[in-house]
Amino acid sequence: MASMITGSGASGAADRGRWEIFTEDWDPGYGNPATFELDGSASFEPAEPGPPVIGPGSFAIVPLCFIDGVRRAELSLWAEQPASGARVPGLAGAYAVGAVTVRPGGQAGYQGIRIGRLAIWGGGRTGDIVGRTGHRWTSESIVGDDPAELLGHLQNRMRLAEGSLALDAAAARWTVVLDGPLNRIQSPDATITGYIKTHHRQIFPDAEHALVPGLPVGARTRMYESRNDRYTCYVRIGHPGPGGSPWGGIARLEFPAVGGLEAAIDQAGRLAAILPRYAGVAHRDPRAPVNLTPVKNLERHLTRLLGPVNLATRSARDAVMGRRSA
């Protein structure tokens, strides 16, 4: 049961001043899973007729492909020009993306692994970094000189690699669940679904927004359409733990409008029925149940493939120091 806290004031205003307190097992390092702006957005409009909530259904299992990526900063860099005093930041970082594929009646497996290491420089500067241990960071540059933009560039490169892999998987006739939104995929295929775990903006009107936490497992909301050619709905993947927020276990699915509304509705119903089978387990994943088990396992696998971060950092540092002493 959730605890209650009541604001001061007359008893008639007690209900209006009451707050409900919930626990949140979600790792704070991943941000808050559900923090809403107070006002809704006018950029989403109802697209599916009928009731605002569609109950759980049953669908045949289909070949699924779960796609995600990881990225990490490995060493902060600076490039200086002694004659002019000019100074620009750099970042040695890495990303890895891949897929977990699950065939009906078959075993899950890792596929499509893609790894990139980048030396990202501000101010238009370039320069690879080559370590003696086999590590190599390929040069890329950005116009700005804000260190935060360097990490943003690394994140974007990871997202683009995820999108490319998603398109390849869709072309191979997989039903793709891409961890994250679809906004970095050019011409997304109708069989690609974006899977969004965190919610920071109220996109439904108040009355329908209030219905989302009450969804039973496997149920979804009706479909809404956004101005950027996407359909979207909420689905409950699993129940939050004891004392957990009612929004725990809620994911938002995103579908490209290119496939049409009926295709999006069919895909939403199918995934609403299937995905709860893959809900995360609390004692294994701090983002359970909404972080899917295949995605959690994929993240761990990709991190292992990148190798120990301390070795990569040492290799980059030694390469930079060797260049200075040469």
Side-chain angles (χ1 to χ4, degrees), residues 159-175:
R159 291 298 189 196
L160 290 174
E162 290 173 347
S164 175
L165 179 58
L167 288 172
D168 289 347
R173 300 181 181 273
W174 291 94
T175 295

Side-chain angles (χ1 to χ4, degrees), residues 124-163:
R125 191 186 185 281
T126 60
D128 291 357
I129 296 176
V130 182
R132 299 175 182 176
T133 56
H135 295 85
R136 183 186 184 98
W137 292 263
T138 302
S139 173
E140 292 194 1
S141 63
I142 63 174
V143 175
D145 58 4
D146 183 346
E149 295 180 35
L150 304 175
L151 191 60
H153 183 85
L154 180 64
Q155 174 78 7
N156 188 56
R157 282 296 308 272
M158 180 194 75
R159 291 298 189 196
L160 290 174
E162 290 173 347

Side-chain angles (χ1 to χ4, degrees), residues 20 22 212-214 236 240 244-250:
E20 294 187 3
F22 301 95
V212 176
R236 179 168 290 285
S245 164
W247 276 86
I250 296 290

Side-chain angles (χ1 to χ4, degrees), residues 65-69 97-98 158-159 161-167 175-185 188 191-197 252-254 271 292 295:
C65 178
F66 300 90
I67 292 178
D68 195 17
V97 304
M158 180 194 75
R159 291 298 189 196
E162 290 173 347
S164 175
L165 179 58
L167 288 172
T175 295
V176 178
V177 179
L178 173 64
D179 196 81
L182 300 179
N183 55 9
R184 288 184 174 85
I185 301 183
T191 61
I192 301 175
T193 299
Y195 185 86
I196 296 97
K197 301 188 289 282
R252 183 167 65 85
L253 305 182
E254 195 173 72
L271 292 178
L292 303 173
V295 173

Side-chain angles (χ1 to χ4, degrees), residues 83-97:
S84 65
R87 194 170 190 251
V88 297
L91 175 70
Y95 67 84
V97 304

